[in-house]
Amino acid sequence: MQRRPSAMTVSIDTQGRVAIVTIDNPPVNASSQAVRAGLLEAVTKTEDDPDVDAVVLACAGRTFVAGADVREFDLPLMEPHLPDVIAAIEAASKPWVAAIHGTALGGGLELAMGCHFRIADPMARMGLPEVNLGLVPGAGGTVRLPRLVEAELALTMIAGGKPILANVALTAGLIDAIATSDLLDEAVALAVEHAAPRRTLENAVVGASDAEAFDKTATGLRRKVRGQESIAAAIDAVGRGVRLPADEALAAERAAFLALKSSDQARALRHIFFAERATLADPRAKLTPRPLQRIGVIGGGTMGVGIVSAFLMRGFEVTLIERDEASLHAGADRVHATLDSSAKRGLLPDLDAVSARFDTAIDYAALSDADLVIEAVFEDMEVKKQVFARLDQVTKPDAILATNTSYLDVNAIAAVLSDPSRAVGLHFFSPAHVMKLLEIVLPGAVAEDVVATAAKLSKSLGKIGVLSGVCDGFIGNRIMSAYRAEADRLLIDGASPDQVDSAMRAYGFPIGVFEMQDLAGLDIAWAMRKRRLAEGKISGGYIRIADRLCEIGRFGRKTGAGWYDHVDGTALPSEVVMSIIAEERQTMEAVGKAFATEDVMPRILGAMTREAEAVLAEGIARSAEDIDVVMVNGYSFPRWKGGPMFAARSAGG
Ligand code: 3H9
């Protein structure tokens, strides 16, 4: 087919008697005002053109329309509105076929559902992720989706915000076909095949008779809402979409969308959306990276296994090194178990091919052709230095050597290399194959193309890379240490662990700071505190409660006791802990007043933001936005509050 190059946002070509309407609005074909106006004009032109019998709606570039243009959300509304554009397409007398490649998300999927037929590339994904931006769909998604797929599926897709793959969409009834060769040609063929439009809004709700199942799913989803109002609003909107006449449901959906668009939570979620995409806006990240294919990982503990799995899942070849056969086998088994469980969840299409890229060794010589080696050994400076010294001997001179330390001085580790410029910190979060955050810790001597390589690597792994300077704990753990210390001070001042945890959960954290310690184990942080005490890095007002718990073997859930007593999977307040707290209050001559739960969060947040401001002022973090990204993605700060810096700055006016 002949395509005329066009500078227009929306252009029209023809193939026989089929008009091809192409949206070209890089980077993701968002439905900006220009796109909406162009589409409306295309409806009029194609309706008026006697030589056109049908229309294919396609997109140039990497994706179908990925949604409304989020950048317009802070501006006054601009006509034409997307619901009106979609209504005009749906009302057209000639059939419109959406040809979907890449992602059809939010307003993009709503547009496709307004078309009369849909065909997708096999790799395409479709969804209504508006909840993730603090919204409900605003252009008919909650009304049209349950008229194409089972109402229950529509509900989980809209309230969960996760896209589905083309094959799932086909089975569910969201699309009519998956292209087997050329998407556009097959879309044209589909358009020729169908003489008349088929309007989604004229369908009955799918599975409407099973109201009980729908309500059960809605109740289950509602229980999981921790404070993000868009999820509850989405459940309500789909409920209306399923039960009310379509026109009433559309009007109610639009009103809910507009109300949420200017809410604090939507502003916060937009902030974090753009902040996550700006973390690597550093000139060094744009330089040519070193090639990376062969990866070495030292250490097959929890972190090493997660790192190996993360790399394998993204197409790299990985060699795992352990100190003896037994540890090597244990590590390799855990890697295979991780891969198996990902394959079972449909995340790894070709498990055998992935496993074939995995190798193990005891001898460091196996790393002689590695492009990058990451050490994930015991968190001890001397051990890490020894590993780096050995790597210095065996690796290629331009191989990048990374440490996964979460607190230690990366400059000191780099210094053992004959060329320290090839050292970097890659601080993964556990489990490393799941967690999105990667702190890229830059020692003073780091080469610029090592920064570029680490930045590219974070993208290749599907992670959000954040650049950090070197300090104790980098961005995230340093801030966490500060609010943990404040939580301890709250205990001395009169609060209970349960009160602090409840306040954090009420704020939106999935788990409080003491519950978290019980889950992770208190012993590692204890070892770190001992090191920091020995190095003189902890001074005045040191609170010994956690140390005393460790001294009596209360390491958390794994020992059945920590900040709480763990009985049959339930965490119960502990009298032992309360009496240790009381003794420490006495030792510190604290008064220990009665504490109101609402007094807790201002203190935790205050400690967080004070440390964050210091991290920023010292240049450890590049921006306040980066800090928010770290705390939201690595420390479960509630996303809909935008991160501690956004929350503090918004509260401060
Ligand atoms: C909606 O549709 C509401 C409707 O129901 C109602 C309307 C009335 N707008 O993520 P990437 C930019 S709500 C503006 O790095 P990837 C992004 O900032 C919307 N800009 O690429 C970045 O810019 P830059 C529902 C957007 O390949 C560039 O595109 N839709 C938008 O990893 C590349 O982004 C969504 O929530 C947007 N909607 O992932 C989808 N989206 O280069 C949100 C992206 O200057 N988007 N940009 O940094 C995504 O999930 C991913 O961007 C996508 C591509 C999967 C599409």
Side-chain angles (χ1 to χ4, degrees), residues 25-32 36 62-73 77 81-83 86 102-110 125 127-133 135-141 161 163 253-254 257-258 261 273-279 459:
N25 184 28
V28 295
N29 288 315
S31 60
S32 63
R36 300 192 303 270
R62 64 200 231 209
T63 179
F64 194 78
V65 176
D69 188 339
V70 180
R71 288 180 204 276
E72 281 182 2
F73 285 1
L77 290 176
H81 304 308
L82 192 58
I86 294 173
T103 44
L105 298 176
L109 181 58
E110 291 174 304
R125 286 181 299 138
L128 293 171
E130 283 87 345
V131 285
N132 301 328
L133 288 167
L135 305 167
V136 294
E253 178 204 76
R254 184 72 180 161
F257 167 79
L258 291 176
K261 190 164 76 86
F273 175 85
F274 287 116
E276 284 175 349
R277 283 159 179 82
T279 56
K459 287 191 181 157

Side-chain angles (χ1 to χ4, degrees), residues 245-284:
D247 54 345
E248 281 179 40
L250 284 174
E253 178 204 76
R254 184 72 180 161
F257 167 79
L258 291 176
L260 285 171
K261 190 164 76 86
S262 49
S263 68
D264 289 345
Q265 291 199 359
R267 277 194 322 113
L269 287 161
R270 284 203 284 282
H271 160 79
I272 204 75
F273 175 85
F274 287 116
E276 284 175 349
R277 283 159 179 82
T279 56
L280 296 173
D282 180 292
R284 288 169 295 181

Side-chain angles (χ1 to χ4, degrees), residues 198-512:
R198 184 195 58 186
R199 299 185 178 91
T200 306
L201 278 189
E202 290 171 3
N203 293 351
V205 169
V206 187
S209 54
D210 202 353
E212 206 178 304
F214 182 90
D215 289 343
K216 205 170 150 209
T217 307
T219 310
L221 289 168
R222 223 178 269 282
R223 251 189 239 121
K224 289 192 206 141
V225 178
R226 273 192 282 124
Q228 190 174 331
E229 58 199 25
S230 60
I231 301 178
I235 298 168
D236 293 342
V238 185
R240 288 191 299 265
V242 166
R243 291 198 174 103
L244 293 184
D247 54 345
E248 281 179 40
L250 284 174
E253 178 204 76
R254 184 72 180 161
F257 167 79
L258 291 176
L260 285 171
K261 190 164 76 86
S262 49
S263 68
D264 289 345
Q265 291 199 359
R267 277 194 322 113
L269 287 161
R270 284 203 284 282
H271 160 79
I272 204 75
F273 175 85
F274 287 116
E276 284 175 349
R277 283 159 179 82
T279 56
L280 296 173
D282 180 292
R284 288 169 295 181
K286 292 183 181 61
L287 300 174
T288 307
R290 296 186 192 181
L292 285 190
Q293 184 54 35
R294 288 204 44 72
I295 312 296
V297 176
I298 318 277
T302 305
M303 200 38 118
V305 165
I307 295 174
V308 170
S309 309
F311 276 92
L312 287 171
M313 287 173 181
R314 293 288 176 146
F316 294 88
E317 293 161 37
V318 187
T319 302
L320 171 67
I321 302 277
E322 257 293 359
R323 60 180 163 230
D324 55 50
E325 286 292 344
S327 315
L328 200 55
H329 278 132
D333 284 351
R334 290 174 65 194
V335 169
H336 287 298
T338 308
L339 296 178
D340 282 350
S341 95
S342 298
K344 282 200 187 97
R345 281 182 289 133
L347 302 174
L348 283 186
D350 192 347
L351 180 59
D352 290 342
V354 175
S355 305
R357 286 187 269 99
F358 178 44
D359 198 5
T360 57
I362 290 176
D363 191 345
Y364 275 46
L367 302 177
S368 60
D369 62 348
D371 305 309
L372 161 72
V373 182
I374 303 166
E375 70 71 23
V377 298
F378 188 63
E379 189 77 349
D380 177 278
M381 179 58 91
E382 283 320 304
V383 179
K384 303 237 182 219
K385 280 183 174 172
Q386 278 166 22
V387 168
F388 258 51
R390 283 179 74 186
L391 290 173
D392 201 31
Q393 305 295 315
V394 298
T395 52
K396 299 186 291 193
D398 60 346
I400 297 173
L401 302 183
T403 168
N404 176 55
T405 179
S406 44
Y407 279 92
L408 299 173
D409 181 352
V410 182
N411 281 318
I413 301 174
V416 305
L417 300 178
S418 38
D419 172 15
S421 77
R422 64 182 177 130
V424 70
L426 291 179
H427 180 211
F428 288 83
F429 289 71
S430 191
H433 62 292
V434 176
M435 294 286 282
K436 291 281 264 181
L437 183 63
L438 178 66
E439 276 184 317
I440 301 171
V441 187
L442 305 178
V446 71
E448 293 198 330
D449 66 342
V450 169
V451 182
T453 314
K456 171 147 188 268
L457 174 66
S458 63
K459 287 191 181 157
S460 311
L461 292 175
K463 302 209 180 289
I464 304 168
V466 176
L467 303 180
S468 170
V470 176
C471 68
D472 214 44
F474 320 127
I475 300 175
N477 276 345
R478 174 162 157 188
I479 295 172
M480 186 182 68
S481 293
Y483 69 79
R484 265 197 190 172
E486 186 65 19
D488 286 0
R489 273 191 291 276
L490 278 161
L491 301 185
I492 294 297
D493 289 349
S496 69
D498 183 41
Q499 212 172 15
V500 174
D501 287 340
S502 304
M504 287 184 77
R505 268 190 268 107
Y507 185 78
F509 283 86
I511 185 170

